Amino acid sequence: MTSAAATPNGTGPLGPIRRLDEVDSTNRYALDAARAGEASGLVVVADHQSAGRGRLGRTWEAPAGASLLMSILLRPTIRLEAVHLLTMAAGLAMADAVEAVAGFAPTIKWPNDLLVGDRKLAGMLTEAEVTDGEVTAVVVGIGVNVQWTDFPPEIAQTATACNLVVGHDVSRDALLDAFVARYGSRLADLDAVPEDYRARLGTLGRRVRIELASESFEGEAVGVSDDGSLEVRTDDGPRIVTAGDVIHLRPA
Ligand code: BTN
């Protein structure tokens, strides 16, 4: 359940796992735990969130028991610009865990969605505590659709879940254990993450639409730098994207 030794980047072993029936948000819980002095490695898992947080200020909703909803508190000795590596590592660890437990291999959509085909299986939201320019805590939050029967109409055409992909029940606990083991290993070798991430990234080589707060544009996704930025080739030249939404477009 835990990796045995402290990692070179200071994140240390993962655990304990704290299980909650109900919480507003596991990310909020883990961030408050960090502020209260909780050590690196805490894994918070909830059956249900009443105010789950998504990227870009969105909400994340799932009925009780349908998803693996978790947040991992880390206290890495890394620069703020490198925090994205922890999320990329989590994406890889979860993709590998899904493959091991459910038997299919999700791809990654930039920056950190897990997809099956064009349907979303999982999303990630990382939040950092920074004091005097130093990262004091990072919370990596992950929501994986594991065991759904019916999606609400808003996401019925765009979401999927492990049980729907494989046609039988998939255990959230087995997925949690598989993830924790793999994430511990990934954290111990962050240097290997960018290359492995690029290999799993379904966005590369695709025609994409980038939606930013102020504009949107289209082009071809041609690369991801080691700092996690996406390079898009547009008719007006290359654009570097550090945040925003990516829509995978059908080939023209
Ligand atoms: C996204 O918008 O795709 C990211 C969604 C992240 C949701 C997870 S569920 C567990 C954790 N706690 C939260 O409040 N959010 C993350």
Side-chain angles (χ1 to χ4, degrees):
M1 181 196 82
T2 58
S3 59
T7 55
N9 53 61
T11 51
L14 295 181
I17 296 176
R18 192 165 301 160
R19 295 170 185 276
L20 309 171
D21 290 338
E22 169 89 28
V23 72
D24 52 353
S25 154
T26 56
N27 268 31
R28 193 281 308 155
Y29 183 102
L31 281 165
D32 279 357
R35 292 181 195 114
E38 186 89 35
S40 186
L42 175 69
V43 179
V44 183
V45 184
D47 275 345
H48 185 241
Q49 297 181 125
S50 56
R53 303 175 182 176
R55 287 179 64 236
L56 307 171
R58 301 187 184 116
T59 57
W60 182 266
E61 291 174 27
S67 294
L68 176 56
L69 307 168
M70 63 189 297
S71 298
I72 304 98
L73 164 60
L74 302 170
R75 294 192 184 276
T77 48
I78 57 174
R79 293 169 300 113
L80 183 58
E81 304 77 62
V83 164
H84 66 89
L85 278 176
L86 305 174
T87 325
M88 292 157 75
L92 287 170
M94 188 55 82
D96 288 345
V98 167
E99 195 167 351
V101 171
F104 65 92
T107 56
I108 300 175
K109 185 182 82 151
W110 189 92
N112 286 299
D113 287 351
L114 296 191
L115 298 188
V116 182
D118 280 333
R119 287 178 176 260
K120 182 161 171 168
L121 181 78
M124 286 165 217
L125 173 68
T126 295
E127 301 183 73
E129 275 281 293
V130 180
T131 308
D132 297 332
E134 300 237 321
V135 177
T136 54
V138 175
V139 168
V140 179
I142 309 173
V144 189
N145 303 330
V146 179
Q147 194 63 39
W148 284 66
T149 43
D150 284 311
F151 288 111
E154 317 85 79
I155 58 170
Q157 302 306 315
T158 56
T160 192
C162 292
N163 65 314
L164 301 177
V165 175
V166 295
H168 57 74
D169 292 357
V170 173
S171 159
R172 286 182 300 154
D173 282 347
L175 190 58
L176 170 65
D177 287 348
F179 169 78
V180 167
R182 284 160 181 76
Y183 196 31
S185 304
R186 288 284 179 186
L187 289 173
D189 189 14
L190 286 178
D191 288 349
V193 164
E195 195 177 330
D196 291 352
Y197 173 88
R198 283 188 278 266
R200 273 261 189 198
L201 192 63
T203 304
L204 289 181
R206 295 278 304 243
R207 186 146 185 91
V208 293
R209 184 166 68 250
I210 306 295
E211 298 190 339
L212 309 176
S214 53
E215 61 163 331
S216 69
F217 60 89
E218 291 186 9
E220 185 190 352
V222 291
V224 171
S225 63
D226 286 357
D227 74 2
S229 317
L230 181 69
E231 184 182 345
V232 180
R233 189 186 296 140
T234 77
D235 289 345
D236 301 323
R239 297 277 303 259
I240 303 297
V241 183
T242 56
D245 269 336
V246 170
I247 317 290
H248 287 172
L249 301 173
R250 304 258 165 230

